[in-house]
Structure formats: C-alpha cells, structure tokens
C-alpha cells in the first residue's frame, strides 16, 4: 500500500497445526500525529498460497495483498479510526 505520507504494517499469524492463517494489514495516511488509519483482516487456508512442498506461491500471494491494499487505501474502504 502506498500513498502520500503513509505507512503500512502487515502481519501474518498461523496457529500451530492449523491450516488457517490470519493476515492483518494496517494502513495509516498522514503524519504520525494526525491522519486516518484503516485496518483489514483476512483469514484463509494456507493451501491458497502455498504449494505441497510448503513453498509460498508469490505469484498468488502478491496479487492478493496488492488488491487488499488497493481496497484499504480507498477512503470509504472501512471505518476510519483516529
């Protein structure tokens, strides 16, 4: 996610022995003292982005994250928090 004076935080968490992971994206636009923040959380099966050898399929993962960022950076994407 990119924008004027913006920063992002992506985190990925998986519970041991579970195939569901949680992807959290936090987007902040503006200076650290002022601006708007939005967050997005997605839960998916690891089988969506990893092959049978456990290798991340970047060709599948990157477009997913890019689309989530595009949606998140739109002003009406989610409820703004201060």
């Amino acid at each position: 996610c990119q924008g004027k004076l913006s920063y992002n935080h992506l985190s990925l968490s998986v519970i041991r022995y579970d195939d569901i992971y949680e992807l959290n994206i936090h987007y902040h636009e503006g200076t650290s003292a002022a601006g708007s923040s939005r967050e997005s959380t997605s839960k998916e099966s690891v089988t969506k982005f990893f092959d049978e050898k456990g290798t991340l399929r970047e060709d599948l993962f990157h477009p997913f994250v890019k689309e989530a960022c595009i949606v998140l950076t739109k002003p009406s994407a989610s409820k703004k928090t201060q």
Side-chain angles (χ1 to χ4, degrees), residues 12-82:
L12 184 67
S13 60
V14 179
I15 298 172
R16 192 176 198 176
Y17 306 117
D18 194 353
D19 72 320
I20 302 298
Y21 72 88
E22 185 174 287
L23 174 67
N24 297 301
I25 302 173
H26 175 85
Y27 174 77
H28 181 85
E29 185 173 32
T31 64
S32 59
S36 63
S37 294
R38 294 181 286 282
E39 292 186 36
S40 174
T41 300
S42 216
K43 290 185 179 185
E44 298 286 344
S45 172
V46 295
T47 60
K48 186 171 182 175
F49 302 116
F50 289 87
D51 65 16
E52 61 279 349
K53 295 179 183 178
T55 303
L56 175 65
R57 294 275 316 270
E58 292 184 32
D59 60 320
L60 301 174
F61 185 69
H62 284 206
F64 174 77
V65 173
K66 185 176 180 177
E67 180 62 29
C69 287
I70 289 169
V71 170
L72 192 58
T73 57
K74 292 180 182 179
S76 63
S78 64
K79 185 177 179 181
K80 295 180 182 181
T81 58
Q82 299 282 354

